[in-house]
């Protein structure tokens, strides 16, 4: 707010200074303009002296000529000239004063308009923005209960609504994460406790065998079978622990809707064309017949972004292409990149979480991009698959048509 006040003061000072300089200039040039009147009066005097008459149409700045015998009652500025012994009053238009008044009125009107504009900007932009200035910092600190004032301004109304949605989404995600972590901890504690029972039985039977308590061969075989059975129980518990640790570590929300294919591709092109041009990568989008897709537009865009990011990271940077096909009431969108070094045998695993192929050794990543694509496409009623075509790696999204 202080910076804006300083800006207003600076703008006002510059405007006033400009007005003062212009007024000084016009006052100084007023006398120069008056010289035109005197020149025309001299020409008029010469014409009267030579012909005894005159034509005022030749002199645009002169409004009237009166001799000393004429009666006149005018307030116009004038000059007195002598022609053949007779004094004449030559009146002229004094445009200088009028120009100054007109210019100052115009400057005043512009100044008032500027003041109104600055006040409008302050009231509808600066002040609302000032109320939101600390909100991002509070959200970054984890203070999700920070008050976000509602703004009806057309400039910030949608922004505050979006920030409130973001805050609520973060809060929901936090609560969901806490709930999930609590459930997993309880499950792990329960399974850990359940493991103790078969583990104790195994230790007891093992000690009995070690000390030779069971002399009968059949009894020894029965104890060994019991140990094996308890070991199977432990293996089952471990399997459940592993499954619980990896199950639903990410949650996804999908809102089904309809969107034109051209809208999705236009957004992707606008996002990546400048980046790929800078990198020198040839980017091609094949021709397609526009259609309406039944999906979550934002999630479909997220899937395409993941595929484009993978093509940029794991390709050789020569060419990336988006192709299209239609089959069985579905639209196929394929992203291909050159420079594929992935082996065919790894294709079944690339959609698993945290899996990274042998071509990812020197590339940073977490192995979640294709996993997220598969989960999202499944939730939208679609599918995704990958294939290797020579030196090209291609991933295809299958989206239902509306």
């Amino acid at each position: 707010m202080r910076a804006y006040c300083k800006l207003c003061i600076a703008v006002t000072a510059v405007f006033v200074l400009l007005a003062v300089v212009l007024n000084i200039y016009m006052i100084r040039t007023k006398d120069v303009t008056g010289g035109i009147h005197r020149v025309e009066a001299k020409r008029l005097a010469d014409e009267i002296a030579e012909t005894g008459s005159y034509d005022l149409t030749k002199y645009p700045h002169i409004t009237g000529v009166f001799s000393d015998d004429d009666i006149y009652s005018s307030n116009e500025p004038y000059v007195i000239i002598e022609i053949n012994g007779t004094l004449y009053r030559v009146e002229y238009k004094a445009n200088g004063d009028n120009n100054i008044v007109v210019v100052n009125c115009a400057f005043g009107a512009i100044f008032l308009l500027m003041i109104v504009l600055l006040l409008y900007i302050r009231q509808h932009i600066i002040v609302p923005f000032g109320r939101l200035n600390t909100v991002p910092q509070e959200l970054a600190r984890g203070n999700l209960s920070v008050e976000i004032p509602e703004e009806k301004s057309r400039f910030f109304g949608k922004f505050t609504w979006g920030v409130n949605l973001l805050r609520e989404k973060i809060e929901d995600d936090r609560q969901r994460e806490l709930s999930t972590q609590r459930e997993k901890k309880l499950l792990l504690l329960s399974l850990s406790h359940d493991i103790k029972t078969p583990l104790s039985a195994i230790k007891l039977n093992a000690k009995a065998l070690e000390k030779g308590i069971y002399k009968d061969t059949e009894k020894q075989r029965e104890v060994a079978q019991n140990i094996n059975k308890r070991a199977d129980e432990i293996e089952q518990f471990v399997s459940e622990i592993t499954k619980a640790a990896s199950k639903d570590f990410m949650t996804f929300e999908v809102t089904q809707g309809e969107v034109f294919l051209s809208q999705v591709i236009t957004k992707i092109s606008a996002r990546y064309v400048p980046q790929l041009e800078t990198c020198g990568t040839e980017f091609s989008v094949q021709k397609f017949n526009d259609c309406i897709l039944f999906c979550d537009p934002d999630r479909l865009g997220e899937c395409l972004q993941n595929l484009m990011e993978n093509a940029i990271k794991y390709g050789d940077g020569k060419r990336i292409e988006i192709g299209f096909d239609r089959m069985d009431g579905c639209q196929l969108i394929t992203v291909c990149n050159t420079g594929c070094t992935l082996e065919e045998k790894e294709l079944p695993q690339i959609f698993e979480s945290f899996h990274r192929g042998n071509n990812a050794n020197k590339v940073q990543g977490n192995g979640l991009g294709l996993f997220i694509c598969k989960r999202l496409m499944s939730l939208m009623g679609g599918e995704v698959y990958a294939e290797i075509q020579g030196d090209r790696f291609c991933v295809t999204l299958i989206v239902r048509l509306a």
Side-chain angles (χ1 to χ4, degrees), residues 135-146 170-171 174:
V135 171
Q137 298 177 3
E138 294 297 328
L139 292 178
R141 294 191 185 104
N143 181 17
L144 300 181
S145 62
V146 59
I170 294 175
E171 179 65 24
R174 174 187 286 182

Side-chain angles (χ1 to χ4, degrees), residues 302-356:
E302 182 179 346
C303 291
L304 282 173
Q305 288 179 22
N306 284 339
L307 298 187
M308 289 294 298
E309 292 295 334
N310 281 353
I312 294 172
K313 288 193 296 185
Y314 301 113
D316 57 6
K318 293 182 179 180
R319 179 179 174 83
I320 296 176
E321 179 181 82
I322 300 181
F324 306 91
D325 197 0
R326 193 170 296 178
M327 184 181 301
D328 296 333
C330 295
Q331 177 67 48
L332 278 60
I333 308 173
T334 303
V335 178
C336 296
N337 64 269
T338 57
C340 175
T341 58
L342 190 70
E343 298 180 3
E344 287 276 357
K345 63 181 181 181
E346 292 190 80
L347 284 179
Q349 290 83 38
I350 62 174
F351 292 103
E352 296 178 1
S353 59
F354 302 109
H355 176 81
R356 306 196 72 200

Side-chain angles (χ1 to χ4, degrees), residues 36-46 62 79 81 90:
I36 298 177
H37 307 147
R38 288 191 291 271
V39 171
E40 291 186 354
K42 180 64 172 60
R43 291 170 53 199
L44 176 65
D46 293 339
I62 295 178
V79 293
I81 58 175
V90 179

Side-chain angles (χ1 to χ4, degrees), residues 8 52 112 134 139 204 213 219 264 278 293 299 321 331 333 348 402:
C8 292
L112 290 177
T134 59
L139 292 178
L204 182 62
I213 296 177
K219 187 63 177 178
V264 178
T278 303
L293 306 177
R299 291 302 196 179
E321 179 181 82
Q331 177 67 48
I333 308 173

